[in-house]
Amino acid sequence: MRIETQCLHEGYTPKNGEPRVVPIVQSTTYCFDSTEHIAQLFDMPTEYMYSRFANPTCDAVEKKIAALEGGVGAMLTSSGQAASTIYGGTINLFGVTLKKLGIECIWVDGDASVEELQKAFKPNTKAVFGETIANPALSVCDIEKLATFAHANHVPFIIDNTFATPILCRPFEWGADIVTHSTTKYMDGHALQVGGVIVDGGKFDWNAANEVSQEYEGFDGSKGKFADFINPDESYHGVEYTKAFGPMAYIIKARMQFIRDFGCYPSAHSAFLLNLGLETLAVRMKQYCVNAKRVAQYFKDNDKILSVSYPALSGDKYHELSKKYLPLGSSGVISFSIKGGRSAAVRFMDSLKLASNVVHVADIRTCVLHPASATHRQLSEEQLVAAGIDGGLIRFSCGLESVDDILADIKQALEKV
Ligand SMILES: *Cc1c(COP(=O)(O)O)cnc(C)c1O
């Protein structure tokens, strides 16, 4: 199946007499004939038993997303944030919250050379993380470079593919190991519900990576960076993930340990709504790229605009990377800086009639956001500069209205500035 077909048919195939549409299984639990059967499930959860770990509706959507990304398995989470993702929220997660949990994150410029990356890499570094298209600076990640760098250091490369979606970029094909998404954005697409997903590419060799990192010692005295994948899990009657699950070790461990313990699994109804968005994802993504390219060009040609970031536009700093990784286009998201700084930005945004002011992005309706006063408000001045954000910066999320109506709205708002 081509990806357009996968959007509609992967994850759920009704048998004779079954519903055409994936049913919402709105049940917390599942019935079994004996206590013995349930006891076995606690040793090895091979069937649905409780909807904090797995649910048939969520499962169908997980299978669809794994297929779209070309991974071996996926797990939905109750938000993009829970799927662990350089986005304002991610900066706080990595820089503040994870630090309190004893996990240090080292920030490196995505455009850094391999020598500079190597200097930042520490003996205890366990993973490299990036975003396909960073929000809101709209830099494009050199996935192949970062994956090669991570693998040379025997750690996985994890990438947040939220803005690109698998329609515009499939990071596994460039060597990424784990893909995360905020499904709240284009995947859902209709601003209905918050959600996330983690997809496992199934190719990272946890055994080999653990073998070469025997000098690393875990807080429990275990040897090697990925000992948890290899040593028996006492909380699951000694299951050994790589031995028991092979290429699916990561995603099954994520479900059996993390979702079990942290409880951030979505409801069946949320998964059902997400599936509706996924069904039209391919059609929508292609049209976002067409609309946004016209709007980005309009901003670029307008003398009230200081600068425009849209990777698919020729002349953009990331145009070459965009051609390589995002051949169909760089989504509907455009960042631009208006002359006159913060006050001009606010005046422009408040004058828009069709585009709405929302704390959201990647919606089917055109929307705008002022990062310096909203999503990135908690960042220091230095962090704002590092994230490429100035007072005049506006994140413009081009929707699927007629592009002529979107342009007319921009024109009348710019006239008020
Ligand atoms: C929105 C977003 C997140 C966080 O996802 P939520 O669903 O809001 O929790 C993470 N990464 C990126 C790139 C995002 O745009």
Side-chain angles (χ1 to χ4, degrees):
M1 285 193 264
R2 314 285 193 288
I3 200 157
E4 294 82 356
T5 316
Q6 288 180 316
C7 283
L8 292 157
H9 292 283
E10 280 285 2
Y12 174 69
T13 312
K15 297 191 194 77
N16 193 32
E18 287 183 350
R20 171 60 275 187
V21 175
V22 63
I24 305 175
V25 180
Q26 195 71 51
S27 179
T28 56
T29 195
Y30 307 83
C31 289
F32 296 100
D33 288 343
S34 68
T35 43
E36 173 58 22
H37 193 138
I38 293 182
Q40 281 168 9
L41 288 181
F42 272 87
D43 286 344
M44 188 57 66
T46 49
E47 291 164 276
Y48 304 111
M49 57 172 163
Y50 189 59
S51 290
R52 171 155 41 85
F53 320 126
N55 164 283
T57 315
C58 298
D59 189 40
V61 179
E62 285 162 344
K63 290 202 166 77
K64 177 176 287 186
I65 296 175
L68 293 176
E69 285 286 9
V72 296
M75 183 178 74
L76 293 176
T77 58
S78 55
S79 71
Q81 197 63 19
S84 154
T85 52
I86 309 181
Y87 161 77
T90 306
I91 298 181
N92 290 328
L93 171 68
F94 283 6
V96 181
T97 307
L98 288 187
K99 202 166 163 185
K100 289 184 188 160
L101 296 173
I103 300 168
E104 186 199 357
C105 297
I106 302 162
W107 304 96
V108 264
D109 189 328
D111 305 332
S113 68
V114 173
E115 293 70 38
E116 287 170 288
L117 291 171
Q118 199 59 57
K119 260 189 233 153
F121 196 92
K122 292 195 178 174
N124 64 348
T125 301
K126 279 196 172 184
V128 177
F129 186 93
E131 285 180 357
T132 311
I133 308 175
N135 174 11
L138 304 190
S139 50
V140 176
C141 177
D142 192 339
I143 306 172
E144 211 170 14
K145 178 181 87 176
L146 284 171
T148 305
F149 166 75
H151 296 159
N153 287 283
H154 310 286
V155 297
F157 179 52
I158 307 171
I159 188 157
D160 180 333
N161 197 32
T162 295
F163 278 9
T165 82
I167 305 302
L168 304 182
C169 179
R170 276 175 299 284
F172 293 142
E173 292 172 7
W174 301 102
D177 301 294
I178 293 153
V179 168
T180 66
H181 288 275
S182 163
T183 60
T184 315
K185 315 298 163 55
Y186 287 120
M187 280 191 171
D188 167 296
H190 297 73
L192 295 182
Q193 32 115 34
V194 169
V197 69
I198 306 170
V199 193
D200 184 357
K203 300 226 172 74
F204 191 77
D205 189 339
W206 305 101
N207 285 306
N210 199 61
E211 205 48 50
V212 297
S213 60
Q214 287 293 304
E215 295 197 344
Y216 176 92
E217 194 177 304
F219 68 91
D220 56 354
S222 59
K223 299 271 185 272
K225 289 184 186 174
F226 305 104
D228 280 0
F229 288 80
I230 293 143
N231 296 343
D233 178 358
E234 298 310 335
S235 74
Y236 252 117
H237 300 279
V239 64
E240 296 165 34
Y241 291 100
T242 47
K243 198 189 256 176
F245 305 110
M248 289 184 73
Y250 175 89
I251 200 70
I252 290 186
K253 182 174 179 294
R255 189 182 301 276
M256 285 169 69
Q257 281 183 338
F258 287 90
I259 280 283
R260 178 197 64 190
D261 294 354
F262 294 128
C264 45
Y265 202 58
S267 72
H269 192 250
S270 295
F272 175 83
L273 293 174
L274 171 57
N275 188 50
L276 292 185
L278 290 170
E279 290 185 335
T280 57
L281 186 66
V283 186
R284 287 186 292 112
M285 290 316 293
K286 290 175 200 170
Q287 190 61 37
Y288 282 119
C289 293
V290 171
N291 282 9
K293 199 162 179 190
R294 284 230 4 233
V295 171
Q297 188 64 50
Y298 182 87
F299 283 134
K300 198 178 169 189
D301 296 339
N302 193 290
D303 58 15
K304 288 188 178 171
I305 306 300
L306 197 61
S307 61
V308 181
S309 293
Y310 187 69
L313 212 57
S314 59
D316 188 273
K317 186 175 172 203
Y318 294 99
H319 190 57
E320 288 309 310
L321 287 175
S322 176
K323 278 201 292 197
K324 175 172 175 179
Y325 294 111
L326 305 157
L328 297 178
S330 58
S331 88
V333 188
I334 304 165
S335 282
F336 68 96
S337 200
I338 195 162
K339 289 181 186 165
R342 191 179 278 257
S343 63
V346 168
R347 177 110 183 108
F348 169 76
M349 289 174 61
D350 290 349
S351 304
L352 289 165
K353 292 182 175 140
L354 182 68
S356 43
N357 259 292
V358 295
V359 183
H360 192 41
V361 63
D363 185 21
I364 200 157
R365 291 148 289 237
T366 298
C367 55
V368 286
L369 181 128
H370 189 231
S373 46
T375 46
H376 293 65
R377 193 179 178 79
Q378 316 305 339
L379 304 192
S380 67
E381 284 302 320
E382 292 97 66
Q383 282 176 315
L384 283 176
V385 174
I389 297 165
D390 73 59
L393 186 85
I394 295 169
R395 189 180 67 193
F396 194 94
S397 175
C398 199
L400 296 187
E401 300 91 347
S402 157
V403 72
D404 294 324
D405 288 334
I406 299 171
L407 290 172
D409 190 32
I410 293 169
K411 185 162 178 277
Q412 65 80 26
L414 279 176
E415 277 162 9
K416 307 228 166 70
V417 177

